[in-house]
Amino acid sequence: MSDAPARPTAAEAPPRPQAIVAVLAFGGIVVSLMQTLVIPIVAELPTLLHAAASDTAWVVTATLLAAAVATPVMGRLGDMYGKRRMLLVSLAMLVIGSATAALSDSLVPMIVGRALQGLASGVIPLGISIMRDELPAERLGSATAMMSASLGVGGALGLPAAAVIADNFDWHVLFWASAAMGVVAAVLVLVLVPESKVRSGGRFDAVGAAGMAAGLMCLLLAISKGADWGWGSATTLGLFAAAVVILLAWGLFELRVEAPLVDLRTTARRQVLVTNLASIAIGFAMFSMSLVIPQLLQLPTQTGYGLGKSLLVSGLVMAPSGLVMMAVAPVSAAVSRTRGPKVTLMIGALIVAAGYGLNIALMDQLWHFVLASCVIGAGIGFTYGAMPTLIMGAVPASETGAANSLNTLMRSIGTSTASAVAGVVLAHMTTAFGPYALPSENGFRTVLALGAGAALLGFVVASFIPRQRTAAPSAPLAAADGQGTPAVKA
């Protein structure tokens, strides 16, 4: 009888790393498409849903709030009960939410559907965590960079795709298409992504989840609606004050509970804390581009600085930046391997700042915006590839999902703040155009300068991250080979 070990059957053979990366990145792109899905129809929503414009704004706000709450919760649940399981739950929320919105013709079901879509936002941090558990250490850096970049890729590619659908089909098709993509992503995950054996177990911190949700909703509501309600209004100030009180009380509770939703002691480690602070600045810098370039492209040429292009053209101008993000992911991983992810993050921040500087100087031709957005996209690809590597290098494998989800939340806070700040600047720096007041050219330049400033702030903050020479954490499931050396998974 032969002593050779039996070879696994096709059904038992583990999926190839390439398949895992491709499926998870596709899922990340599908979820990030929700950011730009409704942009082509925002102006028409009051007519389509038979509601006031101030009410239809909740179609966007509901997704933001749901995502902020769901991201850290799903990350923690993934650590406890299985990341693949929670990934499938997130994709199910996306499908259900998309179908709900597709069947709606009034405001309430549309808001419900968009909130359910926001609950799927945990897909990207969960995907990164699965990669840490399942991929060989030498593949982890490039894979996480690719997955992290999918957040920007989906946002960039989603605008032209959504514009094409909105221009040529009934608006409900936007949501049927997102539901179909969610189903495809879920099936691929079921077939090709294994369930991780790395779990923390324990009891879910429901009180901590409720406290965090309340604090974040107060904070993000104040940021996103402050311009509409008035920054000095009692509602806005009251929400900011409530956010401070609730989050402080939540933090004290989390420090005392045995199994917290967010381990604040781990979060307070210098590498994690500083990376999260840098992520807020980078999130602000990333979104400034999305707020300025489409508006400049669509303003009428009679203004002297608008290019008079359609929404579809604007989306096509932005689309290459998403492809650049994906293309630089392997480069980002290579720099992290040789110089460390801290250096990668700092390089990316400088590239983003340079892109904004370029856009401030070049605002007259279509190719100017393509060039500037691609440079900014390259910088975002560098930074978004480095952040999860820095986080995973400082937390145990059993807390990867929660830690990555918190980092994703920090970026979202940055983008929400960028939207609010840009809204204030453009509302106050205007120029008369017939009977209308439009944002002035200097207003747009100011927002671009703020984006550059945020990127430079991210560079300065990142300089305080402890130096580390290697990018990828060792494979957490590796077993000792008997000579003290971790065995690398094939």
Side-chain angles (χ1 to χ4, degrees), residues 155-161 163 294 297-298 310-320:
L157 299 182
L159 183 58
L297 290 171
Q298 293 178 74
S310 67
L311 178 63
L312 175 58
V313 172
S314 301
L316 292 173
V317 168
M318 299 289 290

Side-chain angles (χ1 to χ4, degrees), residues 438-478:
L438 298 178
S440 67
E441 184 176 15
N442 285 335
F444 287 115
R445 292 185 190 276
T446 300
V447 176
L448 291 173
L450 289 172
L456 292 175
L457 176 61
F459 171 85
V460 172
V461 172
S463 68
F464 291 96
I465 298 173
R467 180 86 174 194
Q468 69 177 71
R469 295 294 302 175
T470 57
S474 58
L477 297 182

Side-chain angles (χ1 to χ4, degrees), residues 152-165:
V153 173
L157 299 182
L159 183 58
V164 169
I165 293 174

Side-chain angles (χ1 to χ4, degrees), residues 370-435:
V370 175
L371 176 62
S373 65
C374 284
V375 173
I376 296 170
I380 296 298
F382 267 78
T383 59
Y384 275 25
M387 289 173 192
T389 303
L390 286 163
I391 295 295
M392 291 189 294
V395 302
S398 60
E399 298 179 18
T400 303
N404 277 324
S405 296
L406 185 62
N407 181 252
T408 302
L409 175 62
M410 294 300 105
R411 297 184 228 173
S412 298
I413 290 175
T415 59
S416 301
T417 305
S419 180
V421 171
V424 171
V425 171
L426 296 179
H428 285 80
M429 299 183 69
T430 60
T431 185
F433 185 65

Side-chain angles (χ1 to χ4, degrees), residues 171-188:
W171 65 272
H172 295 90
V173 175
L174 286 168
F175 297 100
W176 286 124
S178 65
M181 289 188 293
V183 170
V184 172
V187 170
L188 291 174

Side-chain angles (χ1 to χ4, degrees), residues 85-107:
R85 180 179 299 175
M86 290 303 110
L87 184 66
L88 289 169
V89 170
S90 297
L91 290 171
M93 291 297 100
L94 173 64
V95 173
I96 295 170
S98 298
T100 301
L103 293 169
S104 68
D105 286 302
S106 58
L107 183 63

Side-chain angles (χ1 to χ4, degrees), residues 3-411:
D3 292 332
R7 299 181 65 180
T9 65
E12 297 171 338
R16 292 177 299 175
Q18 295 92 330
I20 296 176
V21 174
V23 169
L24 294 176
F26 174 72
I29 291 172
V30 169
V31 169
S32 61
L33 285 171
M34 299 308 107
Q35 297 177 343
T36 51
L37 185 68
V38 298
I39 287 179
I41 60 171
V42 163
E44 302 173 37
L45 283 176
T47 302
L48 297 174
L49 300 177
H50 315 290
S54 59
D55 294 330
T56 58
W58 287 97
V59 172
V60 177
T61 306
T63 308
L64 167 70
L65 297 178
V69 173
T71 301
V73 170
M74 295 305 289
R76 179 60 179 155
L77 289 172
D79 286 336
M80 294 174 64
Y81 304 120
K83 302 176 184 72
R84 175 178 177 266
R85 180 179 299 175
M86 290 303 110
L87 184 66
L88 289 169
V89 170
S90 297
L91 290 171
M93 291 297 100
L94 173 64
V95 173
I96 295 170
S98 298
T100 301
L103 293 169
S104 68
D105 286 302
S106 58
L107 183 63
V108 172
M110 172 63 79
I111 292 176
V112 171
R114 288 288 290 166
L116 288 171
Q117 286 183 322
L119 294 179
S121 61
V123 165
I124 291 177
L126 285 170
I128 292 172
S129 303
I130 290 171
M131 289 175 176
R132 182 185 190 182
D133 294 345
E134 300 300 326
L135 298 182
E138 66 271 13
R139 291 292 309 275
L140 186 57
S142 59
T144 55
M146 187 76 70
M147 185 70 189
S148 191
S150 68
L151 179 63
V153 173
L157 299 182
L159 183 58
V164 169
I165 293 174
D167 287 345
N168 295 280
F169 302 95
D170 179 79
W171 65 272
H172 295 90
V173 175
L174 286 168
F175 297 100
W176 286 124
S178 65
M181 289 188 293
V183 170
V184 172
V187 170
L188 291 174
V189 169
L190 277 170
V191 174
L192 296 173
V193 177
E195 180 59 273
S196 170
K197 296 181 177 63
V198 180
R199 301 186 189 181
S200 63
R203 178 181 297 178
F204 180 67
D205 179 16
V207 175
M212 186 197 65
L216 286 176
M217 288 184 69
C218 289
L219 176 64
L220 292 174
L221 264 178
I223 292 174
S224 60
K225 304 292 286 185
D228 296 332
W229 295 336
W231 292 106
S233 69
T235 302
T236 302
L237 295 177
L239 284 171
F240 275 126
V244 171
V245 172
I246 293 172
L247 290 176
L248 283 175
W250 170 78
L252 292 173
F253 176 81
E254 292 294 277
L255 288 172
R256 296 181 179 184
V257 71
E258 184 177 349
L261 177 74
V262 178
D263 188 340
L264 294 180
R265 291 179 177 84
T266 299
T267 304
R269 292 175 184 171
R270 183 176 168 188
Q271 182 162 317
V272 178
L273 177 62
V274 178
T275 300
N276 282 334
L277 291 175
S279 298
I280 297 175
I282 297 300
F284 186 107
M286 182 198 80
F287 205 59
S288 299
M289 169 182 70
S290 302
L291 295 167
V292 169
I293 294 180
Q295 290 194 62
L296 279 171
L297 290 171
Q298 293 178 74
L299 282 174
T301 56
Q302 291 87 340
T303 60
Y305 51 90
L307 271 67
K309 304 299 181 181
S310 67
L311 178 63
L312 175 58
V313 172
S314 301
L316 292 173
V317 168
M318 299 289 290
S321 67
L323 299 178
V324 170
M325 289 182 203
M326 191 72 77
V328 302
V331 182
S332 168
V335 174
S336 293
R337 280 194 302 271
T338 57
R339 303 301 301 273
K342 171 185 174 178
V343 174
T344 307
L345 179 56
M346 295 174 71
I347 291 173
L350 289 179
I351 295 174
V352 171
Y356 278 113
L358 195 64
N359 206 178
I360 291 172
L362 301 175
M363 295 176 56
D364 301 325
Q365 303 293 328
L366 206 61
W367 68 268
H368 292 170
F369 293 97
V370 175
L371 176 62
S373 65
C374 284
V375 173
I376 296 170
I380 296 298
F382 267 78
T383 59
Y384 275 25
M387 289 173 192
T389 303
L390 286 163
I391 295 295
M392 291 189 294
V395 302
S398 60
E399 298 179 18
T400 303
N404 277 324
S405 296
L406 185 62
N407 181 252
T408 302
L409 175 62
M410 294 300 105
R411 297 184 228 173

